[in-house]
Amino acid sequence: MRITTILTGGLVSLALAGTAIAAPGQSLRGDLDKNGAVTLAEVNARLDQRFRTIDTNGNGQLEQAEMQAAREQHRAKRAERREARGAEMADKRGGERRAGMGGKGRGEGRGKIDANGDGVITRAEFGAKALARFERADANKDGVVTAEERAALREARKARRG
């Protein structure tokens, strides 16, 4: 019994040490060139890519049907990931599944994208909130958001919440 405990503790310690070593080299979400920082150009490139993906008819604007199709596709993918995570966690717990929290998803019900209310979403409207988030995160206004700036923003948000 004691040997099993020691071996398990050693394996856990080794796994945690590997995670700690890997953490500094991890890239930020949106860091296309994997250099540890997100530039305004990278944010715009990612927004352009997402916009083109949703703009299935290629007319340079997003209509209601295109947005609805994108939302449904996103929800389906999210449900698949959630189901896979639930199954994985159930396996770890010996088959026990926990009930979900229910209610609205994180992004549902938040402010509208169609700023002028004309029924279509332009590329500028599509990216406005993401660019505003980037500007808030870019503390020194150099056009680059580093891991440290994102961590500081996260901590400030936690402090405001309580």
Side-chain angles (χ1 to χ4, degrees):
M1 179 73 174
R2 181 160 165 73
I3 299 230
T4 304
T5 304
I6 291 171
L7 286 174
T8 303
L11 289 173
V12 169
S13 297
L14 184 60
L16 291 175
T19 302
I21 291 168
Q26 290 178 342
S27 63
L28 299 170
R29 195 170 103 202
D31 180 13
L32 300 178
D33 61 6
K34 309 293 187 222
N35 69 349
V38 179
T39 65
L40 186 56
E42 287 173 317
V43 170
N44 276 310
R46 189 160 180 202
L47 286 168
D48 287 342
Q49 176 193 15
R50 289 175 54 206
F51 188 86
R52 282 191 306 271
T53 300
I54 297 170
D55 184 18
T56 54
N57 64 10
N59 69 350
Q61 52 189 359
L62 306 178
E63 284 92 19
Q64 199 67 11
E66 291 171 315
M67 289 297 291
Q68 185 61 36
R71 270 189 222 103
E72 289 172 8
Q73 184 179 26
H74 178 74
R75 284 182 184 135
K77 285 181 182 178
R78 187 174 49 191
E80 287 174 19
R81 286 191 308 265
R82 190 176 293 140
E83 182 63 31
R85 273 195 310 263
E88 182 181 321
M89 294 306 293
D91 287 345
K92 289 180 181 179
R93 287 195 280 292
E96 177 190 341
R97 301 267 329 233
R98 293 186 182 166
M101 291 175 48
K104 286 188 174 185
R106 257 178 60 161
E108 294 181 20
R110 294 200 175 167
K112 65 180 187 173
I113 298 173
D114 184 10
N116 62 5
D118 65 355
V120 294
I121 298 168
T122 65
R123 168 56 180 82
E125 288 172 320
F126 182 76
K129 288 185 179 190
L131 295 175
R133 281 191 304 271
F134 180 87
E135 287 179 24
R136 278 194 308 273
D138 186 11
N140 62 2
K141 306 301 179 208
D142 64 351
V144 178
V145 175
T146 64
E148 293 80 17
E149 285 173 318
R150 286 184 67 156
L153 187 65
R154 218 175 4 261
E155 290 304 316
R157 193 176 307 127
K158 284 181 187 178
R160 279 193 311 270
R161 288 183 185 156

